Short mmCIF file of all heavy atoms in Angstrom, two decimals:
data_model
loop_
_atom_site.label_atom_id
_atom_site.label_comp_id
_atom_site.label_asym_id
_atom_site.label_seq_id
_atom_site.Cartn_x
_atom_site.Cartn_y
_atom_site.Cartn_z
N MET A 1 -14.96 5.41 -5.92
CA MET A 1 -13.95 4.59 -5.21
C MET A 1 -14.06 4.71 -3.71
O MET A 1 -14.20 5.80 -3.22
CB MET A 1 -12.60 5.07 -5.68
CG MET A 1 -11.42 4.35 -4.90
SD MET A 1 -9.82 4.87 -5.48
CE MET A 1 -9.59 4.00 -7.00
N ASN A 2 -14.04 3.59 -3.02
CA ASN A 2 -14.02 3.53 -1.57
C ASN A 2 -12.62 4.02 -1.04
O ASN A 2 -11.62 3.66 -1.66
CB ASN A 2 -14.19 2.10 -1.07
CG ASN A 2 -14.17 2.00 0.35
OD1 ASN A 2 -14.89 2.69 1.07
ND2 ASN A 2 -13.32 1.16 0.82
N ILE A 3 -12.70 4.95 -0.10
CA ILE A 3 -11.44 5.38 0.51
C ILE A 3 -11.39 4.93 1.96
O ILE A 3 -12.30 5.20 2.81
CB ILE A 3 -11.36 6.91 0.43
CG1 ILE A 3 -11.40 7.35 -1.08
CG2 ILE A 3 -10.17 7.39 1.15
CD1 ILE A 3 -11.39 8.85 -1.19
N ASN A 4 -10.42 4.17 2.26
CA ASN A 4 -10.18 3.64 3.68
C ASN A 4 -9.23 4.58 4.39
O ASN A 4 -8.09 4.52 4.23
CB ASN A 4 -9.66 2.29 3.60
CG ASN A 4 -9.58 1.67 5.01
OD1 ASN A 4 -9.76 2.29 5.98
ND2 ASN A 4 -9.39 0.36 4.99
N LYS A 5 -9.88 5.53 5.21
CA LYS A 5 -9.04 6.44 6.04
C LYS A 5 -8.18 5.78 7.09
O LYS A 5 -7.49 6.51 7.81
CB LYS A 5 -9.81 7.61 6.42
CG LYS A 5 -10.33 8.42 5.19
CD LYS A 5 -10.82 9.76 5.59
CE LYS A 5 -11.11 10.77 4.40
NZ LYS A 5 -11.56 11.99 4.69
N SER A 6 -8.30 4.55 7.25
CA SER A 6 -7.54 3.85 8.25
C SER A 6 -6.21 3.41 7.72
O SER A 6 -5.30 2.95 8.36
CB SER A 6 -8.29 2.58 8.77
OG SER A 6 -9.43 3.00 9.48
N ILE A 7 -6.06 3.46 6.43
CA ILE A 7 -4.85 3.07 5.75
C ILE A 7 -4.32 4.16 4.87
O ILE A 7 -4.72 4.39 3.80
CB ILE A 7 -5.13 1.91 4.80
CG1 ILE A 7 -5.69 0.65 5.52
CG2 ILE A 7 -3.75 1.43 4.17
CD1 ILE A 7 -6.02 -0.55 4.72
N GLY A 8 -3.47 5.01 5.50
CA GLY A 8 -2.77 6.06 4.78
C GLY A 8 -1.72 5.53 3.86
O GLY A 8 -1.11 4.52 4.21
N CYS A 9 -1.66 6.10 2.72
CA CYS A 9 -0.55 5.50 1.77
C CYS A 9 -0.20 6.61 0.67
O CYS A 9 -1.09 7.46 0.18
CB CYS A 9 -1.22 4.35 0.95
SG CYS A 9 -0.06 3.67 -0.29
N GLU A 10 1.07 6.71 0.37
CA GLU A 10 1.65 7.76 -0.54
C GLU A 10 1.99 7.09 -1.88
O GLU A 10 2.56 7.82 -2.81
CB GLU A 10 2.83 8.40 0.08
CG GLU A 10 3.97 7.57 0.26
CD GLU A 10 5.20 8.29 0.84
OE1 GLU A 10 5.01 9.43 1.43
OE2 GLU A 10 6.28 7.64 0.76
N VAL A 11 1.66 5.79 -2.09
CA VAL A 11 2.15 5.11 -3.34
C VAL A 11 1.11 5.34 -4.44
O VAL A 11 0.28 4.47 -4.67
CB VAL A 11 2.43 3.67 -3.00
CG1 VAL A 11 2.99 2.94 -4.18
CG2 VAL A 11 3.30 3.46 -1.79
N THR A 12 1.16 6.42 -5.10
CA THR A 12 0.14 6.72 -6.10
C THR A 12 0.15 5.85 -7.36
O THR A 12 -0.66 5.88 -8.21
CB THR A 12 0.21 8.22 -6.59
OG1 THR A 12 1.59 8.49 -6.92
CG2 THR A 12 -0.15 9.17 -5.39
N THR A 13 1.36 5.15 -7.59
CA THR A 13 1.47 4.27 -8.72
C THR A 13 0.81 2.84 -8.42
O THR A 13 0.82 2.02 -9.29
CB THR A 13 2.93 4.00 -8.99
OG1 THR A 13 3.68 3.54 -7.81
CG2 THR A 13 3.66 5.21 -9.48
N CYS A 14 0.14 2.69 -7.23
CA CYS A 14 -0.57 1.51 -7.08
C CYS A 14 -2.01 1.65 -7.58
O CYS A 14 -2.65 2.63 -7.37
CB CYS A 14 -0.55 1.17 -5.56
SG CYS A 14 -1.52 -0.23 -5.09
N LYS A 15 -2.49 0.53 -8.12
CA LYS A 15 -3.87 0.66 -8.66
C LYS A 15 -4.94 0.73 -7.64
O LYS A 15 -6.05 1.14 -7.94
CB LYS A 15 -4.13 -0.70 -9.47
CG LYS A 15 -4.30 -1.96 -8.74
CD LYS A 15 -4.32 -3.24 -9.61
CE LYS A 15 -5.67 -3.40 -10.11
NZ LYS A 15 -5.83 -4.66 -10.91
N TYR A 16 -4.57 0.51 -6.33
CA TYR A 16 -5.55 0.60 -5.23
C TYR A 16 -5.46 1.98 -4.47
O TYR A 16 -6.20 2.23 -3.61
CB TYR A 16 -5.36 -0.46 -4.19
CG TYR A 16 -5.45 -1.83 -4.77
CD1 TYR A 16 -4.49 -2.79 -4.78
CD2 TYR A 16 -6.71 -2.26 -5.37
CE1 TYR A 16 -4.58 -4.02 -5.27
CE2 TYR A 16 -6.88 -3.51 -5.93
CZ TYR A 16 -5.82 -4.39 -5.98
OH TYR A 16 -5.99 -5.58 -6.46
N HIS A 17 -4.51 2.79 -4.93
CA HIS A 17 -4.47 4.16 -4.27
C HIS A 17 -5.62 5.02 -4.63
O HIS A 17 -6.12 4.98 -5.76
CB HIS A 17 -3.10 4.87 -4.76
CG HIS A 17 -2.76 6.01 -3.81
ND1 HIS A 17 -3.24 7.24 -4.12
CD2 HIS A 17 -2.01 6.08 -2.76
CE1 HIS A 17 -2.77 8.09 -3.24
NE2 HIS A 17 -1.93 7.41 -2.32
N ALA A 18 -6.09 5.82 -3.60
CA ALA A 18 -7.25 6.75 -3.76
C ALA A 18 -6.96 7.91 -4.70
O ALA A 18 -7.85 8.74 -5.01
CB ALA A 18 -7.76 7.21 -2.50
N LYS A 19 -5.70 8.02 -5.19
CA LYS A 19 -5.22 9.03 -6.13
C LYS A 19 -5.40 10.51 -5.62
O LYS A 19 -4.30 11.16 -5.36
CB LYS A 19 -6.04 8.95 -7.47
CG LYS A 19 -6.03 7.52 -8.06
CD LYS A 19 -4.57 6.99 -8.19
CE LYS A 19 -4.64 5.63 -8.79
NZ LYS A 19 -3.33 4.94 -8.77
N ASP A 20 -6.48 11.17 -5.41
CA ASP A 20 -6.54 12.54 -5.04
C ASP A 20 -6.43 12.64 -3.58
O ASP A 20 -6.38 13.77 -3.05
CB ASP A 20 -7.89 13.13 -5.57
CG ASP A 20 -9.12 12.38 -5.19
OD1 ASP A 20 -8.97 11.19 -4.91
OD2 ASP A 20 -10.20 12.95 -5.21
N GLN A 21 -6.39 11.58 -2.82
CA GLN A 21 -6.18 11.56 -1.41
C GLN A 21 -5.20 10.54 -1.10
O GLN A 21 -5.19 9.51 -1.73
CB GLN A 21 -7.54 11.40 -0.63
CG GLN A 21 -8.62 12.41 -0.92
CD GLN A 21 -9.78 12.29 0.04
OE1 GLN A 21 -9.66 12.29 1.27
NE2 GLN A 21 -10.95 12.13 -0.55
N GLN A 22 -4.41 10.70 0.01
CA GLN A 22 -3.37 9.79 0.35
C GLN A 22 -3.83 8.67 1.21
O GLN A 22 -3.35 8.49 2.34
CB GLN A 22 -2.20 10.66 1.12
CG GLN A 22 -1.56 11.79 0.26
CD GLN A 22 -0.76 11.20 -0.80
OE1 GLN A 22 -1.20 10.65 -1.83
NE2 GLN A 22 0.60 11.23 -0.61
N TYR A 23 -4.76 7.90 0.60
CA TYR A 23 -5.24 6.74 1.30
C TYR A 23 -5.33 5.52 0.33
O TYR A 23 -5.47 5.66 -0.94
CB TYR A 23 -6.65 7.00 1.86
CG TYR A 23 -6.66 8.02 2.98
CD1 TYR A 23 -7.09 9.34 2.72
CD2 TYR A 23 -6.25 7.69 4.22
CE1 TYR A 23 -7.14 10.31 3.68
CE2 TYR A 23 -6.28 8.65 5.28
CZ TYR A 23 -6.72 9.96 4.99
OH TYR A 23 -6.65 10.98 5.95
N CYS A 24 -5.47 4.35 0.86
CA CYS A 24 -5.71 3.19 0.18
C CYS A 24 -7.23 2.94 0.01
O CYS A 24 -8.01 3.39 0.87
CB CYS A 24 -5.09 1.97 0.95
SG CYS A 24 -5.25 0.43 0.06
N SER A 25 -7.60 2.25 -0.98
CA SER A 25 -8.99 1.95 -1.30
C SER A 25 -9.42 0.63 -0.88
O SER A 25 -10.68 0.29 -0.91
CB SER A 25 -9.34 2.27 -2.78
OG SER A 25 -8.65 1.34 -3.57
N LEU A 26 -8.49 -0.27 -0.51
CA LEU A 26 -8.82 -1.59 -0.02
C LEU A 26 -9.38 -1.54 1.34
O LEU A 26 -9.12 -0.75 2.19
CB LEU A 26 -7.59 -2.50 -0.07
CG LEU A 26 -7.02 -2.76 -1.45
CD1 LEU A 26 -5.68 -3.58 -1.31
CD2 LEU A 26 -8.02 -3.41 -2.44
N ASP A 27 -10.14 -2.66 1.71
CA ASP A 27 -10.69 -2.72 3.13
C ASP A 27 -9.58 -3.04 4.10
O ASP A 27 -9.55 -2.89 5.18
CB ASP A 27 -11.74 -3.83 3.13
CG ASP A 27 -13.03 -3.34 2.47
OD1 ASP A 27 -13.20 -2.20 2.26
OD2 ASP A 27 -13.89 -4.25 2.14
N ASN A 28 -8.58 -3.89 3.46
CA ASN A 28 -7.48 -4.30 4.33
C ASN A 28 -6.25 -4.61 3.45
O ASN A 28 -6.46 -4.76 2.24
CB ASN A 28 -7.74 -5.52 5.18
CG ASN A 28 -8.17 -6.72 4.40
OD1 ASN A 28 -7.33 -7.38 3.78
ND2 ASN A 28 -9.45 -7.06 4.26
N ILE A 29 -5.07 -4.60 3.99
CA ILE A 29 -3.92 -4.79 3.25
C ILE A 29 -3.03 -5.80 4.00
O ILE A 29 -3.30 -6.01 5.24
CB ILE A 29 -3.05 -3.56 2.98
CG1 ILE A 29 -2.61 -2.92 4.22
CG2 ILE A 29 -3.80 -2.60 2.08
CD1 ILE A 29 -1.56 -1.85 4.05
N MET A 30 -1.98 -6.42 3.37
CA MET A 30 -1.12 -7.26 4.08
C MET A 30 0.32 -6.55 3.97
O MET A 30 0.82 -6.33 2.95
CB MET A 30 -0.97 -8.69 3.34
CG MET A 30 0.00 -9.52 4.13
SD MET A 30 -0.40 -9.93 5.72
CE MET A 30 -1.77 -11.06 5.46
N VAL A 31 0.81 -6.22 5.29
CA VAL A 31 2.15 -5.63 5.32
C VAL A 31 3.10 -6.82 5.43
O VAL A 31 2.90 -7.79 6.23
CB VAL A 31 2.27 -4.70 6.53
CG1 VAL A 31 3.70 -4.26 6.64
CG2 VAL A 31 1.28 -3.55 6.38
N VAL A 32 4.08 -6.74 4.58
CA VAL A 32 5.01 -7.93 4.57
C VAL A 32 6.48 -7.43 4.88
O VAL A 32 6.80 -6.25 4.94
CB VAL A 32 5.09 -8.50 3.14
CG1 VAL A 32 3.78 -9.17 2.80
CG2 VAL A 32 5.59 -7.54 2.12
N GLN A 33 7.33 -8.39 5.28
CA GLN A 33 8.73 -8.09 5.51
C GLN A 33 9.59 -8.72 4.49
O GLN A 33 9.29 -9.86 3.97
CB GLN A 33 9.11 -8.60 6.95
CG GLN A 33 8.86 -9.92 7.27
CD GLN A 33 9.16 -10.24 8.71
OE1 GLN A 33 9.84 -9.52 9.45
NE2 GLN A 33 8.82 -11.48 9.14
N HIS A 34 10.60 -8.04 4.05
CA HIS A 34 11.56 -8.58 3.04
C HIS A 34 12.48 -9.68 3.50
O HIS A 34 12.96 -10.50 2.67
CB HIS A 34 12.23 -7.51 2.40
CG HIS A 34 11.36 -6.50 1.74
ND1 HIS A 34 10.51 -6.76 0.74
CD2 HIS A 34 11.20 -5.16 2.05
CE1 HIS A 34 9.82 -5.62 0.32
NE2 HIS A 34 10.23 -4.63 1.21
N HIS A 35 12.73 -9.69 4.80
CA HIS A 35 13.59 -10.77 5.43
C HIS A 35 12.86 -11.26 6.71
O HIS A 35 12.06 -10.43 7.24
CB HIS A 35 14.94 -10.09 5.75
CG HIS A 35 15.50 -9.22 4.77
ND1 HIS A 35 16.13 -9.60 3.56
CD2 HIS A 35 15.56 -7.83 4.71
CE1 HIS A 35 16.48 -8.56 2.87
NE2 HIS A 35 16.08 -7.42 3.51
N ASN A 36 13.18 -12.36 7.11
CA ASN A 36 12.76 -12.74 8.40
C ASN A 36 13.27 -11.83 9.53
O ASN A 36 14.40 -11.39 9.38
CB ASN A 36 13.22 -14.16 8.72
CG ASN A 36 12.43 -15.22 7.78
OD1 ASN A 36 11.36 -14.87 7.43
ND2 ASN A 36 13.06 -16.41 7.68
N ASN A 37 12.44 -11.55 10.47
CA ASN A 37 12.89 -10.69 11.63
C ASN A 37 13.29 -9.29 11.23
O ASN A 37 14.38 -8.93 11.54
CB ASN A 37 14.07 -11.43 12.26
CG ASN A 37 14.30 -10.78 13.70
OD1 ASN A 37 13.44 -10.25 14.35
ND2 ASN A 37 15.43 -10.99 14.21
N ALA A 38 12.43 -8.61 10.54
CA ALA A 38 12.71 -7.20 10.02
C ALA A 38 13.12 -6.32 11.11
O ALA A 38 12.41 -6.33 12.21
CB ALA A 38 11.47 -6.69 9.28
N GLN A 39 14.11 -5.47 10.89
CA GLN A 39 14.68 -4.59 11.92
C GLN A 39 14.56 -3.17 11.52
O GLN A 39 14.86 -2.31 12.32
CB GLN A 39 16.14 -4.91 12.21
CG GLN A 39 16.34 -6.35 12.71
CD GLN A 39 15.81 -6.58 14.07
OE1 GLN A 39 15.96 -5.81 14.96
NE2 GLN A 39 15.11 -7.75 14.31
N THR A 40 14.21 -2.82 10.24
CA THR A 40 14.15 -1.42 9.87
C THR A 40 12.95 -1.24 8.99
O THR A 40 12.26 -2.08 8.49
CB THR A 40 15.48 -1.19 8.83
OG1 THR A 40 15.24 -1.97 7.67
CG2 THR A 40 16.67 -1.48 9.61
N VAL A 41 12.58 0.13 8.87
CA VAL A 41 11.41 0.47 8.07
C VAL A 41 11.61 -0.10 6.57
O VAL A 41 10.60 -0.53 5.97
CB VAL A 41 11.30 2.06 7.95
CG1 VAL A 41 10.31 2.42 7.02
CG2 VAL A 41 10.83 2.51 9.34
N GLU A 42 12.78 0.03 6.04
CA GLU A 42 13.08 -0.36 4.73
C GLU A 42 12.83 -1.84 4.55
O GLU A 42 12.62 -2.32 3.36
CB GLU A 42 14.50 -0.03 4.27
CG GLU A 42 14.69 1.37 4.16
CD GLU A 42 14.94 2.17 5.44
OE1 GLU A 42 15.20 1.47 6.58
OE2 GLU A 42 15.04 3.40 5.46
N ALA A 43 12.78 -2.72 5.64
CA ALA A 43 12.63 -4.03 5.47
C ALA A 43 11.13 -4.47 5.48
O ALA A 43 10.88 -5.75 5.37
CB ALA A 43 13.34 -4.85 6.67
N THR A 44 10.24 -3.51 5.51
CA THR A 44 8.85 -3.84 5.52
C THR A 44 8.22 -3.17 4.37
O THR A 44 8.69 -2.15 3.68
CB THR A 44 8.14 -3.41 6.81
OG1 THR A 44 8.03 -2.00 6.78
CG2 THR A 44 8.76 -3.98 7.97
N ASP A 45 6.96 -3.62 3.88
CA ASP A 45 6.37 -3.11 2.71
C ASP A 45 4.96 -3.44 2.49
O ASP A 45 4.51 -4.31 3.32
CB ASP A 45 7.18 -3.60 1.46
CG ASP A 45 7.25 -2.52 0.34
OD1 ASP A 45 6.43 -1.69 0.31
OD2 ASP A 45 8.08 -2.67 -0.57
N CYS A 46 4.22 -2.91 1.60
CA CYS A 46 2.85 -3.26 1.44
C CYS A 46 2.80 -4.39 0.39
O CYS A 46 3.15 -4.33 -0.77
CB CYS A 46 2.04 -2.20 0.81
SG CYS A 46 0.38 -2.59 0.50
N GLY A 47 2.35 -5.64 0.87
CA GLY A 47 2.37 -6.75 0.03
C GLY A 47 1.15 -6.81 -0.90
O GLY A 47 0.94 -7.62 -1.76
N SER A 48 0.19 -5.80 -0.72
CA SER A 48 -0.99 -5.83 -1.54
C SER A 48 -0.86 -4.87 -2.81
O SER A 48 -1.81 -4.70 -3.62
CB SER A 48 -2.24 -5.35 -0.69
OG SER A 48 -2.38 -6.21 0.39
N PHE A 49 0.33 -4.23 -2.85
CA PHE A 49 0.62 -3.37 -4.06
C PHE A 49 0.47 -4.05 -5.41
O PHE A 49 0.84 -5.18 -5.49
CB PHE A 49 2.06 -2.87 -3.96
CG PHE A 49 2.51 -2.12 -5.13
CD1 PHE A 49 2.31 -0.77 -5.30
CD2 PHE A 49 3.13 -2.82 -6.22
CE1 PHE A 49 2.70 -0.01 -6.40
CE2 PHE A 49 3.56 -2.10 -7.34
CZ PHE A 49 3.34 -0.69 -7.40
N GLU A 50 -0.25 -3.39 -6.26
CA GLU A 50 -0.19 -3.85 -7.69
C GLU A 50 -0.02 -2.63 -8.64
O GLU A 50 -0.46 -1.59 -8.41
CB GLU A 50 -1.70 -4.50 -7.97
CG GLU A 50 -1.76 -5.79 -7.43
CD GLU A 50 -2.98 -6.55 -8.03
OE1 GLU A 50 -3.17 -6.53 -9.16
OE2 GLU A 50 -3.66 -7.24 -7.23
N ASN A 51 0.79 -2.74 -9.61
CA ASN A 51 1.15 -1.65 -10.52
C ASN A 51 -0.05 -1.21 -11.25
O ASN A 51 -0.74 -1.94 -11.89
CB ASN A 51 2.23 -2.24 -11.57
CG ASN A 51 2.93 -1.19 -12.30
OD1 ASN A 51 2.31 -0.12 -12.65
ND2 ASN A 51 4.17 -1.27 -12.60
N ASP A 52 -0.25 0.13 -11.21
CA ASP A 52 -1.35 0.76 -11.88
C ASP A 52 -1.28 0.79 -13.35
O ASP A 52 -2.31 1.02 -14.03
CB ASP A 52 -1.53 2.18 -11.31
CG ASP A 52 -2.88 2.76 -11.63
OD1 ASP A 52 -3.86 1.94 -11.79
OD2 ASP A 52 -3.01 4.01 -11.61
N ASN A 53 -0.03 0.52 -13.85
CA ASN A 53 0.13 0.69 -15.35
C ASN A 53 -0.07 -0.66 -16.02
O ASN A 53 0.15 -0.79 -17.32
CB ASN A 53 1.59 1.10 -15.61
CG ASN A 53 1.79 2.54 -15.10
OD1 ASN A 53 0.85 3.33 -15.24
ND2 ASN A 53 2.93 2.80 -14.47
N LYS A 54 -0.43 -1.67 -15.38
CA LYS A 54 -0.67 -3.10 -16.00
C LYS A 54 -2.12 -3.32 -16.20
O LYS A 54 -2.97 -2.74 -15.45
CB LYS A 54 0.05 -4.14 -15.13
CG LYS A 54 1.50 -3.97 -15.26
CD LYS A 54 2.30 -5.06 -14.56
CE LYS A 54 3.78 -4.94 -14.68
NZ LYS A 54 4.44 -6.05 -13.93
S1 SF4 B 101 -2.51 -1.64 -1.69
FE1 SF4 B 101 -0.74 -0.94 -0.49
S2 SF4 B 101 0.56 0.29 -1.89
FE2 SF4 B 101 -1.52 0.01 -2.70
S3 SF4 B 101 -2.63 1.80 -2.22
FE3 SF4 B 101 -3.08 0.26 -0.74
S4 SF4 B 101 -1.67 0.53 0.94
FE4 SF4 B 101 -0.93 1.68 -0.80
#
């Protein structure tokens, strides 16, 4: 599996997570905001997430 050390990630339930290391395996991701004009950390997220259990 490719490990992209430019994208740190703790979401081990994502199918793209490097699992044994806290990184993403994708070449790039899209960070999204849940509302227009996000003002908090909670209002942003990884839009490239996909559930590992599906
Ligand atoms: S796609 Fe997003 S949530 Fe999934 S491992 Fe990469 S950075 Fe984390």
Side-chain angles (χ1 to χ4, degrees):
M1 171 181 283
N2 179 54
I3 296 175
N4 185 346
K5 292 195 170 180
S6 294
I7 306 176
C9 180
E10 63 180 15
V11 187
T12 55
T13 53
C14 177
K15 68 188 286 186
Y16 300 119
H17 194 271
K19 307 307 179 190
D20 52 341
Q21 299 189 55
Q22 295 290 74
Y23 295 104
C24 182
S25 64
L26 294 177
D27 290 338
N28 60 76
I29 62 169
M30 179 63 73
V31 177
V32 297
Q33 56 184 350
H34 299 296
H35 319 284
N36 287 335
N37 194 24
Q39 300 293 316
T40 65
V41 167
E42 291 79 10
T44 69
D45 215 341
C46 179
S48 302
F49 170 88
E50 286 193 38
N51 193 326
D52 197 24
N53 295 320
K54 291 183 178 177

